[in-house]
Amino acid sequence: MKFDEILEHIGEFGRSQAWILCLLCIPQISCAWQIVVVVFLQETPDHRCSPPALLNDTFLFQNPWHEALVNQTIPINDKDGGYDKCSYYRQTDDGNTTEAECDTWVYDTSVFSKTFPMDFQLVCKDSSKVRSIQVIFLSAVLVGSIIGGILADYCGRKPVFIVACLLHGSAGVAAAFSPNYTAFATFRFLVGLASPNIFASAMVLALELVGPSRRMVAGLAPEFAWCTGLVLLTPLAYLIRDWRYLQLAVSVPSFLYISLWWLIPESPRWLLIRGHTERAEKILRWAAKVNKKTLPANIFDEKTLEKTEYVSPLEMRKTPRLLLRTLIGMFVFFVIALVWYGLALNPGTLAGDLFVNYFLMAITEYPAYCICFVINKLGRRWPHAISMMVAGVAMISTIFVELYAQKGILSTDVAQTSLFMLGKTGITTAFAIFFMWSGEFSPTPLRNFVVGMCNVSGRVGAVFAPLIVEAFEKNAQLGNTIPWIIFGVMALLAGISSLFLPETRNKQLPETLMDANDVGVKPTGSSLPDPAHGISLMTEQPPGDLKDEIMLQDKTNSKAI
């Protein structure tokens, strides 16, 4: 019998799958922590130069003599009327004074007792190194996604998951004890390599253990665990104001997940593909026993896993509509990741309390993922496009608040923060929908390739997010709204582009390249894009010889797993 039929016999989502799914969801909390904890680690509090001759200087004045010395030694900044952050008055040999760059600073410790910019003195000319930590981490996530996906297919989902947890914990703990910036950047890179594999391996393992009708639940459960991790970081960061202790707190739990090696099984579907039929049968019969089901004596035959022969991605040149849809999908996911990380990692750019802003940003994830439970009724394309456009309009609207609202009053801050949160909700909703949608318009032989290319494109977008924020976050006329305007325009373009992708609601997954090429296209064809059916590049059906060639290849070389 086919593998999905075996799952129906043991129960598509029984006690065994529920137990495994719960265990796989717990590490996602730590995974979320490590990705966004930098929001609190990277904060650079208000600071000023420390007079070279003054030992044990503090940001707050200790007495009138202290204040007088600082006034004589530190220049006043013309822009904000505060003390200059990067220079001081130095006495020359002839008795005159000149401005010089300082090399020691004192910081306001009223919110954070220590952050890594404070410890490593990443201010003034070295301030760009703060944002570089985000770039280094997200670049590691990109590399880890590619390497981890290959290893998971070769070595198994479970070993990659456990090794990722071990690396996640050990590199995270090492980062907390980093003696300098280079060491900290190196260990954060290693954490970034592990992070996507904790999530991806758990997601794949969960999906391969449940029946088709319960894959929505299995796929969304890790997402909701991720959201919970984002929210729980708020009280954790509020209670722990020293960056080293906070980094330890989010890293140590990863060592506990190594015990999952003895609590969760390997994917029986992967074991069958690799020829380990005895191990796969043992796991399936254990699951049936826990679910109080009975399996027949012989459960495996030639139909259990119908193998899909290799189809080169170059074959998509024969299906131009599918090729263009893949390119559009890559662009859309690039923008989604660009905007999501640009917003999620930078709530500190908003006015008001960092902890409140972060909590509001985190809580928006829940309603966004709840949308997935109703998209079977609403469809994919229009909810996705509307979500992207809402995010885009919200981000672009921040410029009007910046230009026309009175600065420094509560209503202005609330308006700016509300637009930020609306944009975050919209982009998260778009991500939740597209994560599923991208696999539904892809053909079975190339589904992993298409989804993988969209994922890689998204990771590249994530790397660009902190670079854009760093380059454009401060402007004399527009404040910090330029990055949000860039994100907003990109979101609008991606939302419009997604309307050229096909609607897949209540449609079977395309089995062949020709099936995928024709998804959502009227039989008669059209020379213009049809908003009800996705993009159309041909006025007629493909030439007979081309269609026959593709159909013959798909019939002989491609069967659904």
Side-chain angles (χ1 to χ4, degrees):
M1 66 181 76
K2 293 184 178 180
F3 191 84
D4 284 342
E5 293 176 353
I6 298 175
L7 292 176
E8 291 177 2
H9 276 76
I10 68 174
E12 291 190 74
F13 194 79
R15 293 180 180 178
S16 62
Q17 291 102 322
W19 164 252
I20 294 169
L21 184 60
C22 288
L23 292 177
L24 290 173
C25 283
I26 296 173
Q28 309 316 316
I29 296 175
S30 293
C31 188
W33 284 351
Q34 287 281 22
I35 288 180
V36 296
V37 71
V38 70
V39 169
F40 302 101
L41 304 184
Q42 71 181 5
E43 275 298 293
T44 303
D46 193 12
H47 56 281
R48 61 167 171 80
C49 284
S50 177
L54 183 60
L55 300 176
N56 299 323
D57 189 15
T58 59
F59 185 79
L60 297 178
F61 297 130
Q62 302 172 21
N63 49 54
W65 175 85
H66 183 197
E67 182 177 4
L69 179 62
V70 171
N71 288 334
Q72 293 174 3
T73 311
I74 309 300
I76 299 297
N77 191 317
D78 295 333
K79 294 182 180 179
D80 57 13
Y83 292 108
D84 195 277
K85 294 177 169 54
C86 300
S87 62
Y88 71 101
Y89 291 129
R90 179 172 61 87
Q91 292 285 340
T92 61
D93 294 337
D94 57 6
N96 295 321
T97 60
T98 182
E99 285 194 21
E101 292 184 358
C102 57
D103 54 8
T104 57
W105 294 263
V106 288
Y107 301 87
D108 180 2
T109 57
S110 59
V111 178
F112 294 99
S113 59
K114 275 188 181 181
T115 61
F116 76 79
M118 296 166 63
D119 253 8
F120 303 140
Q121 306 286 15
L122 303 180
V123 292
C124 298
K125 63 181 181 180
D126 290 327
S127 60
S128 61
K129 291 183 178 180
V130 176
R131 201 78 66 180
S132 296
I133 289 293
Q134 291 185 15
V135 177
I136 291 169
F137 180 87
L138 294 172
S139 298
V141 171
L142 168 61
V143 175
S145 299
I146 298 172
I147 296 176
I150 296 172
L151 290 177
D153 285 339
Y154 183 77
C155 303
R157 286 68 164 117
K158 182 176 168 181
V160 171
F161 174 76
I162 297 299
V163 171
C165 288
L166 179 60
L167 179 60
H168 207 241
S170 56
V173 169
F177 293 97
S178 299
N180 51 51
Y181 174 82
T182 302
F184 181 65
T186 300
F187 291 127
R188 284 294 292 174
F189 182 87
L190 294 176
V191 173
L193 287 178
S195 292
N197 295 301
I198 292 177
F199 185 85
S201 296
M203 176 76 79
V204 172
L205 188 54
L207 291 174
E208 291 181 339
L209 286 168
V210 301
S213 67
R214 293 293 183 268
R215 283 178 187 152
M216 173 76 76
V217 176
L220 287 178
E223 301 283 3
F224 277 100
W226 164 278
C227 300
T228 302
L230 295 180
V231 173
L232 289 179
L233 183 61
T234 308
L236 194 64
Y238 185 83
L239 294 172
I240 306 174
R241 305 297 183 94
D242 186 309
W243 77 273
R244 293 185 185 274
Y245 291 115
L246 181 58
Q247 177 66 46
L248 273 176
V250 301
S251 303
V252 170
S254 295
F255 292 109
L256 300 176
Y257 309 143
I258 299 173
S259 63
L260 295 179
W261 177 267
W262 296 277
L263 298 176
I264 60 174
E266 179 58 271
S267 166
R269 191 186 295 264
W270 179 85
L271 289 172
L272 285 172
I273 291 174
R274 288 293 173 179
H276 304 296
T277 55
E278 292 184 2
R279 289 177 59 192
E281 181 171 357
K282 183 178 180 181
I283 292 170
L284 291 171
R285 293 196 180 278
W286 166 82
K289 181 180 179 181
V290 174
N291 293 350
K292 298 183 178 179
K293 302 288 185 178
T294 303
L295 282 176
N298 297 317
I299 58 175
F300 298 146
D301 55 34
E302 66 279 1
K303 295 182 179 180
T304 301
L305 282 179
E306 298 178 3
K307 295 185 178 179
T308 301
E309 297 295 334
Y310 175 73
V311 175
S312 171
L314 295 177
E315 295 299 319
M316 282 199 293
R317 72 185 187 278
K318 302 176 183 177
T319 52
R321 190 181 297 114
L322 172 61
L323 178 60
L324 184 56
R325 287 170 176 171
T326 301
L327 295 175
I328 291 174
M330 291 173 63
F331 170 69
V332 170
F333 208 56
F334 173 91
V335 174
I336 289 175
L338 173 75
V339 179
W340 192 93
Y341 280 97
L343 300 181
L345 297 182
N346 296 285
T349 59
L350 297 173
D353 186 81
L354 173 62
F355 298 98
V356 173
N357 290 338
Y358 172 81
F359 177 77
L360 293 174
M361 182 274 299
I363 207 73
T364 60
E365 298 273 322
Y366 284 113
Y369 285 112
C370 287
I371 295 293
C372 290
F373 289 108
V374 296
I375 61 174
N376 282 334
K377 294 183 179 181
L378 300 177
R380 277 72 161 148
R381 196 167 82 255
W382 277 107
H384 178 272
I386 291 172
S387 299
M388 293 290 290
M389 293 177 187
V390 166
V393 170
M395 291 292 96
I396 293 173
S397 298
T398 58
I399 189 175
F400 300 109
V401 178
E402 181 68 27
L403 291 177
Y404 301 113
Q406 182 179 348
K407 294 179 175 61
I409 63 174
L410 180 61
S411 59
T412 300
D413 294 343
V414 170
Q416 199 81 305
T417 301
S418 298
L419 289 172
F420 185 95
M421 299 307 166
L422 182 59
K424 176 64 168 50
T425 303
I427 205 67
T428 304
T429 302
F431 169 79
I433 296 173
F434 194 79
F435 194 77
M436 185 188 327
W437 189 21
S438 60
E440 293 180 335
F441 61 76
S442 309
T444 296
L446 294 177
R447 186 165 295 127
N448 284 344
F449 172 79
V450 172
V451 174
M453 289 301 295
C454 291
N455 185 45
V456 169
S457 178
R459 300 299 185 187
V460 174
V463 173
F464 277 95
L467 296 175
I468 291 176
V469 174
E470 174 68 22
F472 301 106
E473 71 174 335
K474 295 179 181 178
N475 182 274
Q477 288 76 36
L478 301 179
N480 62 359
T481 60
I482 294 181
W484 316 138
I485 296 169
I486 295 173
F487 294 153
V489 171
M490 294 289 286
L492 283 178
L493 291 175
I496 294 171
S497 299
S498 68
L499 290 174
F500 291 89
L501 296 174
E503 178 58 71
T504 57
R505 180 173 66 97
N506 296 331
K507 290 190 171 65
Q508 293 183 349
L509 294 179
E511 300 288 349
T512 66
L513 272 70
M514 183 56 70
D515 289 342
N517 196 64
D518 293 340
V519 170
V521 179
K522 290 181 178 179
T524 56
S526 173
S527 60
L528 296 175
D530 186 344
H533 295 85
I535 194 166
S536 176
L537 296 180
M538 299 183 178
T539 56
E540 301 176 356
Q541 290 293 331
D545 56 346
L546 171 60
K547 184 172 182 179
D548 291 342
E549 178 185 349
I550 298 174
M551 292 183 68
L552 177 61
Q553 175 185 344
D554 288 333
K555 285 182 179 180
T556 56
N557 295 338
S558 305
K559 293 183 179 180
I561 293 180

